[in-house]
């Protein structure tokens, strides 16, 4: 397995380019199944998860080609409706093919998904919503087996109220409803920027959608969708990770290709920690080279659904708090197993106490390099941030997690002055 070797305490300085958002690219790729015409995605990140989903679409009969930051998808030849366990087991987002397959072809057989071991993340809300649209669904032998059970052979519009806010659930139901007969209303919908990005592409394909970005999304189904060209939004989690790294390493970093409006909750916390933040139409600059006392201030956070503080930024911000002045309380409300990075941070010298879904982080003047192990995607990013702030050398093992969600992170960090290298596995 590949590892990262990082020698820390080198200020990060310069400009870094954000990639397209992983959490937007995946539903957009799945949405291409809704039409027989070509779909082109620009600003696509070059990630393991993107390659995995492309492989899944090819297994269904679609043509998928990626050339740098551009992906071309043609789903005209789809003649297979099963997403096998072998393709789905590494990535929960694979379940996003369920709604499009069911809406366009009237059937789907999708393995129950895998991904990072950070919590239960059940798909019951996907199933409940699709059943409301007229699907007959059973779960057997580890697969979701779905078939349209209406007289017309098409899904039927319905009012759906999810029991919890679910991003992938909202996306699956949005995609399915675009080809349903009549109107669908999704209540308690997720409000993330990635939801809006999906709605924008679906509208470009001919869908009739309103209310995206709010908790109530209205969709009037159409008989068919057509091809489109769409540019993926910046990855707000990658942007946030670079900003946290700049603060922890006490640098001066500008992230280009960012969308400041997507970062309000994080930017507020970074300012509270003492960082100087400047923004433009498509960039964010963080300066931490003039922190009072030379260290950031400890800041408490509570993760919650957008527009609150993102659970995907919890580990990276915890790494900042590890070297901050004072103590902070960090509460995780989204996933029950998302403190697995705590033990690894403590190997670097962090002082952290866990009490259920809350951690108390007491900042220390410096961390010390050590060998640590990544346990999930965002935990690995948190370890990178901590290693950049630590004295001496840190070796991060199992970084295949990192490669699922970050496009050439070590290359981008080297461009900012970090001493970081990838050690290829044997």
């Amino acid at each position: 397995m590949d590892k990262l070797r990082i020698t820390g305490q080198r200020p990060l300085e310069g400009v870094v380019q954000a990639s397209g958002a992983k959490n937007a690219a995946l539903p957009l790729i799945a949405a291409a199944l809704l039409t027989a015409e070509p779909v082109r995605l620009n600003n696509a990140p070059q990630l393991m998860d993107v390659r995995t989903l492309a492989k899944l679409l090819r297994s269904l009969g679609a043509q998928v080609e990626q050339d740098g930051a551009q992906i071309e998808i043609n789903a005209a030849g789809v003649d297979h409706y099963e997403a096998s366990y072998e393709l789905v087991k590494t990535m929960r987002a694979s379940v996003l093919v369920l709604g499009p397959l069911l809406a366009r072809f009237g059937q789907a057989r999708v393995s129950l998904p895998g991904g990072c071991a950070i919590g239960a993340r059940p798909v019951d809300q996907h199933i409940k919503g699709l059943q409301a649209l007229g699907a007959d669904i059973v779960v057997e032998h580890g697969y979701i087996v779905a078939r349209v059970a209406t007289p017309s052979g098409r899904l039927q519009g319905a009012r759906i109220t999810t029991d919890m806010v679910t991003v992938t659930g909202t996306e699956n139901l949005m995609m399915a409803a675009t080809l349903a007969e009549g109107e669908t209303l999704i209540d308690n919908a997720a409000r993330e920027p990635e939801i809006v990005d999906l709605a924008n592409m679906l509208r470009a394909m001919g869908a009739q959608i309103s209310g995206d970005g709010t908790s109530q999304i209205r969709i009037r189904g159409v008989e068919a969708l057509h091809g489109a060209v769409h540019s993926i939004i910046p990855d707000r989690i990658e942007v946030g990770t670079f900003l946290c790294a700049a603060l922890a390493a006490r640098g001066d970093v500008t992230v280009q290709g960012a969308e400041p409006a997507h970062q309000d909750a994080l930017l507020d916390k970074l300012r509270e920690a003492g960082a100087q933040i400047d923004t433009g139409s498509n960039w964010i600059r963080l300066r931490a080279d003039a922190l009072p006392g030379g260290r950031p201030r400890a800041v408490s956070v509570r993760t919650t659904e957008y527009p609150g503080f993102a659970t995907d930024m919890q580990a990276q911000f915890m790494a900042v708090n590890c070297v901050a002045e004072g103590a902070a309380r960090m509460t995780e409300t989204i996933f029950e197993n998302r403190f697995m990075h705590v033990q690894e941070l403590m190997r670097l010298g962090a002082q952290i106490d866990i009490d259920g879904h809350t951690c108390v982080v007491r900042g220390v003047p410096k961390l010390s390099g050590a060998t640590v192990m990544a346990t999930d995607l965002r935990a690995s990013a948190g370890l990178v941030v901590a290693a950049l702030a630590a004295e001496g050398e840190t070796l991060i093992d199992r970084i295949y997690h990192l490669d699922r969600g970050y496009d050439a992170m070590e290359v981008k960090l080297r461009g900012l002055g970090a001493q970081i290298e990838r050690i290829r596995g044997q």
Side-chain angles (χ1 to χ4, degrees):
M1 295 182 187
D2 288 3
K3 302 175 176 64
L4 284 181
R5 180 187 287 130
I6 300 172
T7 301
Q9 293 200 329
R10 294 172 179 267
L12 303 182
E13 296 179 348
V15 178
V16 63
Q17 181 69 36
S19 297
K22 174 184 87 82
N23 290 337
L26 299 178
L28 295 173
I29 293 169
L33 291 169
L34 290 165
T35 178
E37 297 183 13
V39 170
R40 188 172 79 221
L41 298 174
N42 297 321
N43 197 36
Q46 299 180 60
L47 302 171
M48 189 182 300
D49 274 10
V50 170
R51 291 191 290 271
T52 298
L53 192 57
K55 186 177 180 180
L56 172 54
L57 262 64
R58 291 189 194 102
S59 77
L60 302 175
Q63 297 178 354
V64 186
E65 300 295 335
Q66 181 165 8
D67 182 10
Q70 187 177 97
I71 300 178
E72 296 270 359
I73 307 166
N74 189 328
V78 170
D79 57 1
H80 190 60
Y81 315 114
E82 177 175 316
S84 71
Y85 172 72
E86 286 304 311
L87 289 171
V88 170
K89 65 181 179 181
T90 62
M91 185 177 65
R92 182 177 184 271
S94 300
V95 77
L96 288 167
V97 303
L98 177 62
L101 286 176
L102 193 59
R104 183 173 161 211
F105 301 103
Q107 60 181 304
R109 188 171 186 265
V110 179
S111 174
L112 290 170
C116 291
I118 57 175
R121 302 200 286 188
V123 295
D124 58 326
Q125 299 306 302
H126 303 240
I127 293 172
K128 171 187 171 182
L130 292 171
Q131 286 173 329
L133 294 174
D136 181 11
I137 301 179
V138 295
V139 178
E140 58 184 18
H141 308 298
Y143 279 80
I144 304 166
V145 182
R147 186 175 296 274
V148 174
T150 63
S152 69
R154 290 178 61 190
L155 294 173
Q156 302 293 305
R159 181 165 189 151
I160 303 167
T161 303
T162 59
D163 298 333
M164 57 185 287
V165 176
T166 161
V167 176
T168 54
T170 299
E171 290 164 344
N172 237 339
L173 297 177
M174 285 171 62
M175 290 186 284
T178 59
L179 296 180
E181 291 183 320
E183 185 174 275
T184 297
L185 192 65
I186 305 174
D187 271 324
N188 201 27
R191 300 164 59 189
E192 272 74 1
E194 295 79 13
I195 297 286
V196 177
D197 202 33
L198 174 60
N200 285 336
M201 189 178 91
L202 291 172
R203 278 191 288 264
M205 295 169 67
Q208 297 183 18
I209 303 175
S210 62
D212 45 293
T214 76
S215 60
Q216 189 176 78
I217 300 176
R218 191 178 302 272
I219 303 163
R220 181 167 293 279
V222 297
E223 287 192 12
L225 296 177
H226 52 72
V229 177
H230 180 79
S231 186
I232 301 169
I233 60 172
D235 194 317
R236 60 193 172 98
I237 306 303
E238 183 195 36
V239 171
T241 300
F242 283 123
L243 295 177
C244 283
L247 180 53
R250 299 159 208 180
D252 180 353
V253 169
T254 299
V255 186
Q256 290 280 5
E259 176 48 77
H262 296 168
Q263 305 283 355
D264 285 345
L266 175 63
L267 296 184
D268 284 348
K269 293 297 181 179
L270 292 171
R271 289 189 180 101
E272 190 178 341
Q276 180 180 327
I277 305 286
D278 297 301
T279 63
S281 60
N282 66 343
W283 57 268
I284 303 172
R285 181 184 182 187
L286 183 145
R287 293 188 59 191
D289 49 358
L291 287 170
R295 294 166 61 189
R297 291 187 291 269
V299 176
S300 296
V301 300
R302 178 184 179 88
T303 66
T304 187
E305 293 86 0
Y306 189 85
F309 193 93
T311 180
D312 279 357
M313 283 304 307
Q314 179 251 108
Q316 300 91 307
F317 203 86
M318 183 180 290
V320 174
N321 274 333
C322 286
V323 293
E325 187 77 46
R329 183 178 297 272
M330 304 194 68
T331 303
E332 174 61 54
T333 71
I334 308 298
F335 295 124
E336 64 271 22
N337 295 337
R338 206 153 206 183
F339 284 148
M340 291 189 292
H341 48 281
V342 167
Q343 294 301 322
E344 302 304 304
L345 289 171
M346 291 172 67
R347 287 181 54 79
L348 299 174
Q351 295 186 7
I352 308 171
D353 296 314
I354 302 179
D355 183 9
H357 295 293
T358 298
C359 281
V360 175
V361 185
R362 294 176 176 84
V364 297
K366 66 178 180 180
L367 299 174
S368 299
T371 298
V372 294
M373 181 178 68
T375 54
D376 61 71
L377 169 55
R378 304 308 175 186
S380 53
L383 292 176
V384 170
V385 172
L388 291 168
E391 183 180 65
E393 183 178 284
T394 298
L395 194 67
I396 305 176
D397 199 359
R398 295 177 66 180
I399 61 164
Y400 61 85
H401 289 293
L402 193 75
D403 293 336
R404 287 186 49 228
Y406 290 90
D407 188 346
M409 174 182 262
E410 72 273 18
V411 176
K412 293 182 178 182
L413 286 172
R414 272 200 301 273
L416 296 174
Q419 186 171 332
I420 177 172
E421 64 174 325
R422 179 179 291 256
I423 302 172
R424 297 291 179 181
Q426 301 299 318

